[in-house]
Structure formats: structure tokens, C-alpha cells
Amino acid sequence: MAEQTISIILNGEAKEVAADQTGVQFFAEDKNIIAVRLNGEPRDLYTELHDGDVVEPIVLDSEDGLAIMRHSATHVMAQAVQEIRPDAKLGVGPVIKDGFYYDFDVETPFTPDDLKEIEKRMQRIIKSSQSFRRRVVTEEEALAEEADQPYKLELIKDKEAHLDPEAATEISGKELSFYDNVDRDGNVVWKDLCRGPHLPSTGKLGAFKLTKLAGAYWRGSEKNKMLQRIYGTAFTDKAELQAYLDRIEEAKKRDHRKLGKELGLFALLEEGPGFPFFLPKGMALKNALIDYWRDIHYKANYVEVSTPLIMNRHLWETSGHWDHYKDNMYATKIDGEDYCIKPMNCPGGVMVYRSQPHSYRELPLRVGELGLVHRHELKGALHGLFRVRCFTQDDAHIFMRPDQITDEIIGVVGLINQVYSKFGFDYFVELSTRPENSMGSDEDWEAATNGLIKALEKLNMPYIVNEGDGAFYGPKIDFHLRDSLGRTWQCGTIQLDFQMPLNFGLEYIAEDGSRQRPIMIHRVCFGSIERFIGILIEHFAGAFPTWLSPVQVRVLPISDKYMEYGQKVLAELKAAGIRAEIDTKAEKIGYKIREARLQKIPYMLVVGAKEEEDGVVSVRSRFKGDEGQKGLDAFISDIKEEIKNRENRKVEVEA
């Protein structure tokens, strides 16, 4: 009797296969294939194939394959935990960026030593090559099987519930399923409620590491119990894992909170959670960044304005922020009326435009503002300068005619590219489209979205579409920059807005004398100056280019005997506009040099008998080490040129 076959579409081509086959048999020859995308849905290799199925293999070293491996690692970790702590109650265990985690309810909190024991137990489970087998159940069966797991019971009863912001619900979908871990004798040794997919077996799990412990409220709500969260990561091999762990260690060294304190840049105090205190050196850095911003905007024909920090509620109702953003706004009462501390600069910018009539000849009108804004963030979400409650937005609003849209967007892209290139960042671009809670007509949204697409196409700029993530008043282009560690940060944005000019009744007199409504661009380059400073601290590891450095030169007298000459050198540096200081400590010169290096100071001027006698300075730099003796005037001329051109001088040798 002939073997029954079915026809499937494999990588776009029709193929005849045995009727009772699964992916395990079909892809047995290729050990790198660990799952399939079946009719568009990711499935494990044990899934039975049917006639007409569209099959695409998922390989281990792909993005999807890595996510599946890390998901499987969460199950292995949870199994190991329950073998060591049988009383542990399971929460959820999703894959996140660069790794995974699982939440547990345990009587005794985990310790770093526990992580080592859990890792050892995981290795045993991996070596035993247990297979992951999916089993579909009814809700009643699931409730019975998870009777001793209160968190799983809650999820079963509320399948569409929103979980922790980092997590996706493990059981949402059309059907409930378990994944059983089956040993080589066919016995189920562990199970978890999960939709999958998973690796064919634990033996396919590559190199892994449990990285840290944290507390996490169940379902992300402070009203719920605090659970114990174990984070981990996994890669296809040990070399990739080690490279990742090395990056994490380097990131810890570069942590802007650590360096900000060591370099005396800013303080984060309990008296103002989320409200950073900038110290003198931090203000020097911030002002250098602002001076650069003002310089490039002046050259690009922007004007600068300043709008009030507090404005009445009616303004925010008209702008749409009251309906769409009020939970993140601080409010107060003045003279019995509701007022809001601004979370955005745009309504103020609109009022500036509306304060006087405009002609088509004035447009485009490019209006910049370094505006301090306040937004309510949960205390647990605060993170150094990256997530704060008040920050300075380097905003600008461009008011223009419809025929000017493409050119203005191209101009803004050019300006943002200039900024990122200055700091050595590369970037990619994302187009975010209309969200669910938007305001405005379909026609306006279509015109705005097409305007952004047309500009990107004219620039031949590749972009990713991020569906439904636009602002409530318009679509946007987001710029994601990459730092020296390869991490990405969303900073610059361009938002095209047809709504706010309509809401506020903005007009200009057209060439034919009619009154027309302008179109508005909202855009930022840095995003938040505070956050951008945090990124720069980590990108440069605190070793800023000379033009940005809070202290550009430190004068180092060899002993107190040469302090007077050192003070004279300092005075001339300051008179030339160079940010300089002198080390007056009664220490040896080697100590002073080490201190200056730890403070990441670009230039050290050593002065002693020879220097005083010849009227010169001995120059040491962070870039080249010993640069020899120079006349002070020559040194000042060179460093002023470097600062004026905002050079990013490269390190040649360790100082």
C-alpha cells in the first residue's frame, strides 16, 4: 500500500511529504532548525503538518530562534527553582530585550548564592535532554491542574489581562495549553502553562547566565504582592554570551549615575526624586551643549522664544493634552482656576505664533525653545537622567505652507544628522503611524503620513514602520541612535501636525489675500537635554571632547614653590575663555596626574622650575600622553581652535 502524502509549501515551493510527519522528522537533517513558522504562526517542531500548510523553518541563530531559545530557558530556570524550592509559586516568564526573566513567590528571598545553585540545576536539566511537548487543555482542566498555583489561576480566569509592561501574557490566544517537559523514558517531569513555542529539547539550549535579582509587583501593580524576579540571558554559544557579559560590565563602568557622581556633574537627592540637581561642572557641560544647539539653529534660520511654565487648563483642553495626557501632568489652582505645569512646549509655541498676524511671505517660520517641562512619572520608573520628572526639551515648531512640507522635513533631517554625526552616533529611522486615541480627520492623517513618507523617499532614507505609535495629533519620524556599546536610544523626532493649528485657529494671509491654515512640525534633536547628557556620559565614558568637557585644562604645579607661576598660567587660560582649574594639593606630581586622568580632563599643564624659567608649560593630554613643552600662547591658540571647531580628538595612546 502506497504511503499517504500531503502537499505543503516550504519556503515558497510545493513539496510532497508523508501525511503523519512533524517538523522533527522533516527537518531531522538540519540541527540548526529548532521551530517553524506554520501559516504565519511560530510553532514547535512537534506540531503535525497538514495538507496545504505554509512552512518556513526557524533557525537557532535567527532573531526568532534566539527568542524561542530564551523562552525555553525560562522554563528550565523555573523547573530548576521548583526542584530546589518546591513551595515556589510561579508568576510569568517572558522573553525581554537581550534575555528573559521569571517571577516567583517564595517564602525566603533568593540570594546571589541561590542563583549559582539554580544555574547548576539548570545544567543538569539541559544535559538530560528533556523534550518540550505542547498539550491543549480546556479551561476547566487548566484550573484543576494549576489548583496550587494562585497566579496561574488568576491568568487562566483573565486570559486577556494586561501584565507587567515588559511581559506578554503567556496564555493569551484562542486556546489554553501546557508545555510538558518529558524525559527520555516518556515521563512528564515538569510542566508550565504556556502558549510556546519551545525548542525540541532542553539539550538545544545554548550558553546561559542568570544575571540579577529584583523585586517586581505582580502584574506591574503596586497594589499587588511583591514577587522575586530572576533575570537571565542566553546565547547560541559561549563566545557570544561572554561578549554580551563583557558589554554589560563595560556598561556598568559607564553608568551615568556612577560617573555623574564621580565627576561632580549632577546629584539625585531624596528631597527631589526625579528632579536632578546640576552641579557647577554639570552646568558647564549643559551650557556647552546648549551653546552648540543655539549656534546650529541660528545658522539654520531659527528664532528662539521662551514660553511660561504654567498656563491655564483651557489651553491644555484646546491643545488636546488634557484629554490625552492629563494623568502625566501636574496641576495647581491660581485665583480659583485650574492651571497646569507644562509637560510639552508646543501649546506655548502655538500661542507665540497666534500673538500676531502672519503673511505667506514669512513662512516657513522656525521657532525654537529650550523649554523646561514637567511630567509625572511613577517613582519606581525613575532612572538617573534617563527617566526624570523635569527636563529641558530642545523643541522647535515650524509653521509652514502645505507646499513647504517636504523641504522642511528634509531640512530637519539634515540638522538632526549634523548633531548625531558631531558626537559619533549612527542611527536608524522609524515612521510611527496613527494611534487609536488620535484626534483629527482621516484625510488630515493621510496627508500628514504621506508628507513624511515623501520626504523620507526623497532622501532615499530607509525606515521601519511602527504601526499605531504616532502622537495623538500626528504621525512622526523617530531617530534611534547607537552609542559606542551598540545600544540604541530614541532621541530625535519629527512630528507633522495638522490638528493643533486647527484647534487654535492659526492662520496666515495667502498670496491671493485669503486666510489659510498653516501646517506645523514639532521636532527635537537631543530630545531631552538631561537624557542626552546621560547618553553622552555613557557613550564617552565621561571622557568628553575638549569642547564639551566641564574642565578643559588642569594646571599642575610640581610643588608649592611653583604655585605662583601656576596661578599666572591659570589666569591667562581663563582670560582666553578656557575652562581651567589648578591643583593646589600638597601632593607629588604623579598623584596629581593620576587624579586629573581619573577626572577625564583633556589637558594637564605641568609647571615647575624649567617651565617657569622658559615661560612655557609641559603639556600632557588624554589623547596623546606627553606632548612636550609649548609656549603658553601657542597652547592657548591650539586649544581655542580645537574648541571653536568642536573637534572630537581621537585617543592615540593612554595618557
Side-chain angles (χ1 to χ4, degrees), residues 254-260 266 383-386 534 537-538:
R254 292 169 179 250
D255 189 311
H256 74 284
R257 295 165 298 180
K258 173 178 174 286
L259 288 174
F266 62 89
H383 180 70
L385 297 181
F386 291 159
I537 291 170
E538 299 198 0

Side-chain angles (χ1 to χ4, degrees), residues 14-28:
K15 194 168 186 68
E16 296 291 317
V17 300
D20 59 350
Q21 275 206 16
T22 66
V24 170
Q25 292 100 25
F26 189 69
F27 295 111

Side-chain angles (χ1 to χ4, degrees), residues 433-447:
T433 59
R434 187 176 188 174
E436 289 184 9
N437 66 336
S438 63
M439 57 192 292
S441 68
D442 293 344
E443 293 76 17
D444 281 351
W445 271 90
E446 184 177 359

Side-chain angles (χ1 to χ4, degrees), residues 386-433:
F386 291 159
R387 183 64 72 90
V388 292
R389 287 171 170 162
C390 80
F391 53 92
T392 306
Q393 272 195 320
D394 66 312
D395 253 325
H397 301 100
I398 301 174
F399 302 90
M400 61 196 171
R401 306 188 308 265
D403 61 292
Q404 296 171 323
I405 291 175
T406 301
D407 287 343
E408 286 307 299
I409 292 171
I410 289 172
V412 173
V413 170
L415 193 67
I416 292 174
N417 179 68
Q418 178 184 345
V419 170
Y420 291 172
S421 299
K422 171 59 67 179
F423 299 103
F425 293 123
D426 65 353
Y427 61 88
F428 65 91
V429 167
E430 200 171 64
L431 173 68
S432 296
T433 59

Side-chain angles (χ1 to χ4, degrees), residues 273-285:
F275 302 97
F277 291 70
F278 272 83
L279 307 178
K281 289 181 180 178
M283 277 306 299
L285 168 60

Side-chain angles (χ1 to χ4, degrees), residues 102-106 108-110 213-216 226-230:
Y102 211 114
D103 290 340
F104 303 94
D105 186 356
V106 288
T108 306
F110 295 115
L213 295 165
M226 177 75 77
L227 304 183
Q228 292 280 296
R229 177 170 293 179
I230 300 178

Side-chain angles (χ1 to χ4, degrees), residues 353 359-360 363-365 398-409 444 447-448 450-452 454-455 458 496-498 501 506-511 514-521:
Y353 179 91
S359 161
Y360 73 96
L363 305 183
L365 186 59
I398 301 174
F399 302 90
M400 61 196 171
R401 306 188 308 265
D403 61 292
Q404 296 171 323
I405 291 175
T406 301
D407 287 343
E408 286 307 299
I409 292 171
D444 281 351
N450 288 338
L452 294 180
K454 185 177 178 182
K458 194 168 181 179
L496 192 54
D497 183 3
F498 284 63
L506 303 189
E507 295 179 339
Y508 66 90
I509 305 301
E511 191 172 3
S514 63
R515 294 179 181 274
Q516 300 293 327
R517 187 176 82 231
I519 295 162
M520 184 176 175
I521 286 176

